[in-house]
Amino acid sequence: AQSVTQPDIHITVSEGASLELRCNYSYGATPYLFWYVQSPGQGLQLLLKYFSGDTLVQGIKGFEAEFKRSQSSFNLRKPSVHWSDAAEYFCVCYNQGGKLIFGQGTELSVKP
Amino acid sequence: KAGVTQTPRYLIKTRGQQVTLSCSPISGHRSVSWYQQTPGQGLQFLFEYFSETQRNKGNFPGRFSGRQFSNSRSEMNVSTLELGDSALYLCASSPGGGFPGEQYFGPGTRLTVT
C-alpha cells in the first residue's frame, strides 16, 4: 500500500539556520508529491508540488524540495529559517485512486 | 478570489447526536474533498465529490456521509456521534477534472463530542 513517512516528529532549529525536513514515500510509479504547511488553528497551505520534470522544485516562502527517485525521498529545505516558519509540515502523496496520502507531519519550532 | 470557507468553525455535540458541516469551495472549483485530522491518526481522507457525485471514498464507517450541490458547495454529515469523532474536519477544493491536482484547504471545523 502507498505510504508517506516523515521520520522526524518534531524539529527545533535556530532562527537563521538552515532547515531540512525528511520525507520518504512508498509508491510503485512516479508519484505526485506535495508539501503543505499548517499553522496553529489554520487549514493547510500548499508550499510546493512535484509532478514530473526537474527534480528540484521551488515553492513559496523560500522553500524548495528535491525529488530523489533512487531514495524514494522528497525532502523539504530552506536555507534560512524565520520565526514565522514555526508550524507543522506535511509531506503528501497523491495516489491514482484519487486520494491524498499524508505523512504524520513534522512540527517545526524556531529558537530565537 | 475568496478561499474555501467552512461553517461552523467550532461545534460541540453530545454522543449519539448527528452533525452537519458545510464547505463552500473556491469559485469555479468542482471537486471537494473532506479530511479528518486527529492527534492520533493524523490526516485521513474521508471522501471526494465531483459534480455532485462521490468520486472517491476513504475507510470510514457509513455514519460518515456527504453530498455536493449543483453550486459545488458540499456538506458532510456524521450520525450517531462517538467520542472518537472529535477532530478537526478539513474541506479542500480543487478545479477537478481527471486529476485533482493541488488542493486548497479551508480553515476547518473543530468538532468536540462530549
Side-chain angles (χ1 to χ4, degrees), chain A residues 12-85:
Chain A
T12 301
V13 300
S14 297
E15 191 167 17
S18 64
L19 171 70
E20 182 168 23
L21 302 183
R22 296 183 292 163
C23 171
N24 293 98
Y25 64 89
S26 170
Y27 187 60
T30 299
Y32 299 119
L33 296 163
F34 308 83
W35 275 98
Y36 280 86
V37 60
Q38 185 178 33
S39 298
Q42 302 296 313
L44 283 84
Q45 182 182 23
L46 179 69
L47 286 175
L48 47 78
K49 61 189 176 187
Y50 172 79
F51 291 167
S52 65
D54 289 342
T55 57
L56 185 64
V57 293
Q58 303 296 321
I60 62 171
K61 304 185 179 186
F63 286 93
E64 67 177 27
E66 186 170 12
F67 171 67
K68 291 185 178 180
R69 183 188 302 277
S70 61
Q71 297 177 20
S72 297
S73 69
F74 188 56
N75 293 349
L76 181 71
R77 300 194 293 248
K78 186 169 184 177
S80 177
V81 169
H82 188 261
W83 64 266
S84 61
D85 293 326

Side-chain angles (χ1 to χ4, degrees), chain A residues 85-103:
Chain A
D85 293 326
E88 190 156 20
Y89 292 79
F90 292 93
C91 181
V92 185
C93 179
Y94 168 73
N95 84 0
Q96 296 194 338
K99 306 175 187 178
L100 290 185
I101 309 297
F102 286 79

Side-chain angles (χ1 to χ4, degrees), chain B residues 14-72:
Chain B
T14 304
R15 267 182 305 176
Q17 288 185 314
Q18 75 165 15
V19 67
T20 299
L21 312 181
S22 181
C23 172
S24 293
I26 291 171
S27 177
H29 284 191
R30 296 162 62 196
S31 168
V32 173
S33 298
W34 289 89
Y35 298 86
Q36 181 196 65
Q37 185 177 24
T38 60
Q41 299 298 316
L43 272 151
Q44 294 183 286
F45 172 77
L46 280 155
F47 30 64
E48 182 213 359
Y49 285 86
F50 176 74
S51 292
E52 302 179 64
T53 301
Q54 187 180 86
R55 185 159 69 170
N56 287 294
K57 189 176 187 307
N59 298 322
F60 278 80
R63 298 186 297 108
F64 292 83
S65 63
R67 59 177 175 168
Q68 187 179 34
F69 302 94
S70 58
N71 62 357
S72 293

